[in-house]
């Protein structure tokens, strides 16, 4: 993941590369744009380029090599959801007293610090900003620049106030990257202190074209499915494991169909039975639950007469049959039950039991 493999938004990418080349990169940048436009990937590509040990050129402009130790360590922060989940899990295991003082920070390279919104409020907290203030005082140790990335710039008030001071006068070697869907998500006091850049989402047609080029063997409805599931994020679309997805979806669909038409439980347990073993089973269950959510959303869209918004576009007929068969209350209750199973899994309750319970509760209409 570097500038030359970043797809779309060429003007903004070039602008960043030129700023690096001329050593005029602003010290505080607000990178705004819709979900899926690639804000976080681009922020990491910038962090890599600023710290790459084997700097390359791309059309005469600087770009990261993506293979040196600095690049590799920075890139391992790319799967942000996974890194945050690890950090949250590590915090859960602490004693109460320590847990309160532990902030969620992602640091896969000593000179790059990612400050995600801290759950459960999903806001950046003052403790995280204090860690930044502490960290920013020390010059880079293994790279040339220190980079601080806020993947979602939603701050608690105290945190925003603490950040203002640093935004006024960051050290020469430091760059703060604030990512947000809309510039208006930020307080005016912060907005006025940052340089603004914007990314646009690729259109569905552009995504379809890119996918068709990369996967000429796929049927067109598969391109459309993946483009919709990736929500405009081309990177996600290109790395999407469509085989695993359709396998989970087959089971999820069977669960929904059996639950809504068959009075007999045994067919359901046949499906849930294959979801029992260890870590692999846990991943499989998580995938199944995620697909169930998506199918329920699509069913609701069909009920609301918005078929153009449906993501699982390649299985419209069975989705329509389900939409005719279930009530809004049933969908709501089932969604709640799925959330319960998910939280049970996080607390390591017996997976199969909760999945069986989900299956039988889905039969009560
Ligand atoms: Zn490198």
């Amino acid at each position: 993941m570097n500038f030359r493999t970043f797809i779309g938004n060429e003007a903004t990418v070039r602008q960043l590369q030129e700023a690096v080349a001329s050593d005029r990169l602003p010290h505080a940048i607000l990178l705004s744009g819709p979900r899926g436009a690639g804000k976080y990937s681009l922020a990491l590509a910038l962090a890599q380029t600023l710290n790459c040990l084997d700097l390359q050129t791309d059309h005469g402009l600087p770009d990261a090599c993506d293979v040196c130790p600095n690049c590799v360590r920075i890139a391992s922060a790319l799967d942000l959801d996974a890194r945050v989940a690890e950090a949250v899990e590590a915090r859960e295991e602490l004693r109460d007293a320590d847990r309160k003082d532990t902030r969620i920070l992602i640091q896969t390279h000593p000179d790059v610090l990612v400050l995600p919104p801290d759950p459960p409020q999903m806001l950046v907290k003052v403790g995280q900003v204090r860690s930044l203030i502490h960290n920013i005082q020390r010059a880079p140790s293994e790279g040339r620049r220190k980079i601080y990335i806020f993947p979602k710039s939603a701050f608690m008030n105290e945190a925003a106030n603490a950040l203002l001071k640093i935004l006024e006068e960051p050290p020469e070697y430091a760059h703060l990257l604030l990512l947000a869907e809309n510039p208006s998500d930020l307080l005016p006091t912060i907005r006025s202190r940052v340089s603004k850049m914007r990314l646009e989402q690729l259109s569905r047609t552009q995504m379809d074209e890119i996918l068709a080029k990369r996967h000429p063997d796929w049927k067109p409805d598969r391109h459309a499915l993946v483009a919709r599931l990736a929500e405009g994020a081309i990177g996600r679309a290109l790395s999407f494991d469509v085989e695993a997805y359709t396998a989970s979806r087959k089971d999820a669909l069977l669960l929904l169909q059996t639950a809504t038409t068959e009075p007999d439980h045994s067919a359901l347990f046949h499906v849930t039975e294959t979801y029992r073993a260890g870590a692999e089973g846990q991943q499989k269950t998580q995938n199944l639950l995620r697909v169930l959510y998506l199918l329920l959303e699509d069913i609701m869209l069909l009920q609301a007469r918005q078929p153009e918004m449906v993501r699982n576009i390649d299985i419209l007929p069975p989705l329509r049959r389900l939409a005719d068969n279930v009530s809004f209350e049933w969908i709501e209750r089932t969604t709640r039950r799925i959330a319960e199973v998910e939280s049970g899994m996080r607390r390591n309750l017996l997976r199969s039991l909760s999945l069986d319970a989900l299956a039988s509760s889905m039969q009560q209409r």
Side-chain angles (χ1 to χ4, degrees), residues 52-54 64-68 71:
C52 179
L53 299 171
D54 183 20
C65 75
D66 211 24
V67 290
C68 74
C71 281

